[in-house]
Amino acid sequence: MYLIIGRVDSMDGQKMKNLIKSAKKGNTEAFGELYSFYAKELYRFALYTLHDTFDAQDAVQNAALAAFRKIGDLKKEESFKSWFFKILYNECMKILGHKSRTLEVPSEVPAVFSEDTYTYDETGIMALFEALPPKEKSLITLSVFEEYNSVEIAEILGMTPSAVRSSLSRLFKKLRIQSEGENYV
């Protein structure tokens, strides 16, 4: 079995810009449509980061409220998606900080989404992924599961694109070595 991920269909660029402009003027329906378009991606990111459905739902809800309150501060409409994900990332980090819990790798990692969204591979890669620290997990989630490029990830996580690429390279090497049963230094 292999990991299978689907990406959200794209929205017409002009429609997206119009919705963002309307939401910036206080139109709740426009913001609701924008939120609906990204809701699945936002929740999946939060769930991979927090490992708890309730925490993920809280993080997404808090991020949506914060985004709605601050949308007037958004300078460029084309940055909306990465801006929203950065708010969500910060909410996830707040929740992790408040909980200050250590994450245990379960012996079996349950599937959270339907089979058409993803399935686990038999090599235990998902267990290795679950054991990663939050920032490393966020890098992989945004790159592999959400298919963002290094520029988009850099904007969300406050890094440079080259730092994103080198971090991902190290992480993939680390996961490959661990999956082969070797210790990574």
Side-chain angles (χ1 to χ4, degrees):
M1 299 176 117
Y2 294 95
L3 193 59
I4 302 167
I5 303 295
R7 178 128 173 151
V8 175
D9 293 335
S10 63
M11 182 186 289
D12 174 76
Q14 189 58 46
K15 181 179 180 183
M16 180 70 71
K17 283 184 180 183
N18 290 340
L19 286 172
I20 294 167
K21 286 178 183 179
S22 185
K24 287 175 80 170
K25 293 177 183 174
N27 184 329
T28 56
E29 288 180 22
F31 185 83
E33 193 171 337
L34 290 167
Y35 170 76
S36 294
F37 184 73
Y38 292 114
K40 188 174 180 179
E41 287 181 77
L42 292 163
Y43 177 72
R44 188 170 44 223
F45 174 81
L47 188 59
Y48 275 121
T49 304
L50 300 170
H51 307 289
D52 182 271
T53 56
F54 297 113
D55 286 346
Q57 291 168 354
D58 286 347
V60 172
Q61 181 179 6
N62 291 343
L65 289 171
F68 180 70
R69 282 194 302 266
K70 297 177 184 179
I71 195 162
D73 299 339
L74 179 65
K75 291 176 179 52
K76 295 188 279 185
E77 284 84 16
E78 52 279 347
S79 299
F80 176 79
K81 185 177 182 179
S82 59
W83 173 79
F84 203 156
F85 269 86
K86 185 171 188 123
I87 292 170
L88 177 60
Y89 174 76
N90 289 333
E91 286 296 327
C92 290
M93 293 302 110
K94 276 189 220 172
I95 290 171
L96 286 174
H98 287 139
K99 294 229 173 193
S100 64
R101 61 183 178 214
T102 56
L103 302 175
E104 295 180 23
V105 179
S107 58
E108 286 188 40
V109 183
V112 178
F113 301 102
S114 63
E115 284 186 27
D116 61 331
T117 307
Y118 71 82
T119 57
Y120 291 107
D121 67 326
E122 295 173 359
T123 64
I125 290 294
M126 288 307 292
L128 294 173
F129 169 78
E130 295 298 330
L132 292 173
K135 186 147 188 175
E136 291 179 353
K137 195 177 302 178
S138 295
L139 278 165
I140 291 177
T141 298
L142 291 168
S143 174
V144 176
F145 302 142
E146 302 299 337
E147 300 177 355
Y148 288 115
N149 63 41
S150 60
V151 174
E152 293 169 321
I153 296 169
E155 193 172 330
I156 292 168
L157 299 180
M159 302 170 69
T160 64
S162 61
V164 168
R165 289 188 295 274
S166 63
S167 295
L168 283 170
S169 177
R170 281 193 308 274
L171 282 169
F172 291 137
K173 180 179 180 182
K174 176 181 176 178
L175 289 172
R176 188 185 76 249
I177 290 170
Q178 288 178 343
S179 72
E180 294 169 353
E182 301 175 26
N183 291 328
Y184 179 75
V185 178

